[in-house]
Structure formats: C-alpha cells, structure tokens
Amino acid sequence: MPAAPIEFWFEFSSPYAYFAALRIDALAARHGRTALWRPFLLGAVFQRTGMGPLTGQALRGDYARRDWDRLARLERAPFRLPDGFPLKTTAPARMTYAVQAEDPALSARFGRALFEAAYGEGADISDPDVAAAVGAGLGLERNALLRAAADDRWRAELRARTDEAIAKGVFGSPFVIVDGEGFWGADRLPMVELWLQRGGW
Amino acid sequence: MPAAPIEFWFEFSSPYAYFAALRIDALAARHGRTALWRPFLLGAVFQRTGMGPLTGQALRGDYARRDWDRLARLERAPFRLPDGFPLKTTAPARMTYAVQAEDPALSARFGRALFEAAYGEGADISDPDVAAAVGAGLGLERNALLRAAADDRWRAELRARTDEAIAKGVFGSPFVIVDGEGFWGADRLPMVELWLQRGGW
C-alpha cells in the first residue's frame, strides 16, 4: 500500500501558503508521497481563535509585508500582493474540491496555478471568472468550474473541510499534517522534510 | 571597527525564546558577531497588537505545547514548562539589564542560565530570589541582583527597552535584528544565519 498523502491545508488568501505551495509537491515526492491540497476558510478559524488577517495587525502586518518580499527575493519567486487583499476565497476553494473529487493530482496543479496567478501576477482569484480562467489554462472546463463555485455540494464540502481543519487543530495557513503530526507555517517545511526522512522523532 | 552586535530581543516567559537562547551566541560568533540580549515585556507588546499568551489560545495553545516537546526532542534539549506559566518576568529582566550595564557578555551568560533554569528545570524565575540564585551560580552578587529587581533605574530601563522594541517593530518573542533587519521566531534562526553569511539579499 502506498504511503498516505501528506495533507497540505491552506487558505488561498495567504501569502505564506503561496510560498509553501511552490514547494510542497516536490517535497512530498522526495519521500514517495503526494500532497493532498486542502483549502479551508481561515476566517472561520479566526472566529475560533480570535486572530485575524496579518495585514490588519499592528507591527505584525508591516513585518509580514516586508517578510514576503524578502522570501520572494530569497526563493527567486515573483511576488505581489493582489489588489483587494485579503481575498474572499470561497470560489477558488470550492472549484479546487470539485476538481479534487475527480483527480487529486490535477487539483494540486490547479491550486498551484491559482496561487501563482494571485501572488505571481496579482490576479484577483476571488472573482469566479478569473479563477475559472486559471483552470481553463490547465484544460479544465471553464463552465463546470463556474457551476462548482455556486453549487451547494461544493459549498457544503468546503464548510465540512473547514470544520475538519479546526477539528485537526489547524489554526493558521499553511499547515501541513504528516501521519497525524501537524506543522504550522511555511518556515516549517524543512522540519516537515526531516520528519519524513526520519519517520518522526 | 568590529561589526555591530546582533540584537536578540526576547521575553523570558517564552519557550520559543528558550530554544533560540540555546543557539544565538554560537550563531553570532560563527559570523564574528556577538548577540546583545534584550529582554522586554511581551505583555506590553500584546496590548499594542491584541495578541496574547500562546497557551491561552484555542488550537494554537495545544499546538505550541506539543511543538515545544517536539523541538526539545529534536534539539536534545531538556524542556518543561515552569509551574505558573506564563511567568511575570520583570525581576529577571531588570537584573539582566543591571548586569548588562557592566558586562554585556556576562548578561548573555546570565540570560541563558535563567532560561535553562526555567525551561530545563522548571524553576520559577519570576521569583526574585530564584533569579538571584541563578546569578549567584555565575558568581554574581545575589544581593546586588535583588536590589536591581526593585530599583527604579532598572524598572525605567526595562520600560524604555520595551518601548524601543515596539518602535523597532518587535511583536513577538524571540525576535532577532541584524543590521536593522528583523526576524521573528526561533524558526528563523537559519534565515538569520543566511542573512549574516550573505550580508542580506
């Protein structure tokens, strides 16, 4: 039996998740794993924890903006904060689950393409038309994606996944779970890698 | 002229600062620097940011407790959370500044010894007698430390340093500043090291 996928929990409106999204599939593959892309609504988690979007926080918001630019330079990745950030991400998240139900690997490619459109190019992926166009670039059916964004099935799926995230202790984005062990933050990808190498410690 | 010290800002009531405290002096030394140990009162910063102690937060508190044990196993460092955590740390912080005014290197040794007493052995370093006994173990005068903990001069110094921390954008503990560039979190020590190696990027 192949090893279980690692769970990659994220909010599309999370620049740190963008940086993790650029690396998570390759990281998993180096250890014979895949990454299962699990978007959730961070706003619902914030209601539980009392935290809020980084850019609205005194001191921490200024740090984060500087830090994203610094990370982008370090990793030679393009970066810009999309207009209207923080984004309302129900549409791209529901679309991701609709794709995932048919093809998990394709949903990972779609998720990564959405992140690259948002933070590489500044696209407003909260707009269903914009998100669907990203999918169309991967050969997905644009109209099927638009229907998924408005469909009660995927609305319910996203709610249930967000509840699942909270039940698993996910309190921020990105958050990686390896065989039940959780790791918060893009900064922890090296530790995730070590955990996979050693099988924990 | 020797390179400026790197600034190591921390709250003694911060387990993540303990893990950083075990490594910061050696890290600085590898790059021909020293670390200037700068305790501050995180509670005053929380009043500004609206954040609060980790252990009181839903989801995040449970994660942190598990994470500290995991870090301790990884780094083969002893770890226990002191009784009464979070600690009121005015006494050890004032003592540190009193020592630092005479001998910055000794204040770093004292700071590290305080962290090791608190998180290695579970000592309640909020108690001035306990903190002074840690200093006595390094040859510091116990009574001078006790006087420093109650002295208006060091009370004012700690307040001023806490204001300085906020003015410099310090919003959490630990927080390292290298030549004006800030790095939040024990997780960022590898990035601090890279910044020192490359002289920034």
Side-chain angles (χ1 to χ4, degrees), chain A:
Chain A
M1 200 175 76
I6 68 175
E7 297 173 23
F8 177 50
W9 292 92
F10 63 92
E11 156 65 75
F12 277 114
S13 185
S14 164
Y16 285 115
Y18 161 68
F19 290 108
L22 298 177
R23 297 159 58 194
I24 193 69
D25 289 313
L27 190 162
R30 283 194 291 276
H31 301 279
R33 305 278 192 124
T34 58
L36 186 56
W37 287 49
R38 295 297 206 197
F40 69 98
L41 298 177
L42 192 54
V45 175
F46 285 158
Q47 287 180 6
R48 178 72 182 277
T49 61
M51 299 181 76
L54 275 174
T55 46
Q57 289 179 36
L59 304 175
R60 207 169 167 213
D62 289 339
Y63 176 86
R65 289 172 187 273
R66 186 182 177 99
D67 194 37
W68 295 326
D69 288 333
R70 181 169 65 185
L71 277 169
R73 295 194 308 272
L74 177 64
E75 304 194 1
R76 300 180 191 280
F79 180 77
R80 52 177 288 194
L81 208 56
D83 293 336
F85 181 88
L87 306 173
K88 182 170 158 49
T89 59
T90 49
R94 290 174 193 163
M95 291 178 186
T96 300
Y97 280 117
V99 175
Q100 193 166 106
E102 302 292 326
D103 187 338
L106 183 55
S107 74
R109 287 178 55 215
F110 181 43
R112 179 169 169 152
L114 286 164
F115 271 118
E116 290 178 331
Y119 301 97
E121 300 159 26
D124 179 8
I125 61 168
S126 68
D127 180 338
D129 288 321
V130 173
V134 171
L138 299 176
L140 290 161
E141 274 185 55
R142 180 189 170 83
N143 286 334
L145 291 172
L146 288 172
R147 282 195 303 277
D151 189 317
D152 279 345
R153 177 177 171 193
W154 306 114
R155 176 180 287 115
E157 171 89 5
L158 177 56
R159 279 196 194 147
R161 292 295 176 196
T162 299
D163 290 344
E164 181 189 344
I166 293 170
K168 287 181 168 174
V170 173
F171 61 88
S173 167
F175 197 102
V176 176
I177 302 180
V178 181
D179 305 330
E181 188 76 17
F183 300 87
W184 172 51
D187 286 345
R188 284 297 180 91
L189 291 189
M191 189 182 278
V192 168
E193 184 121 41
L194 199 59
W195 191 270
L196 284 163
Q197 275 169 3
R198 297 190 185 177
W201 57 80

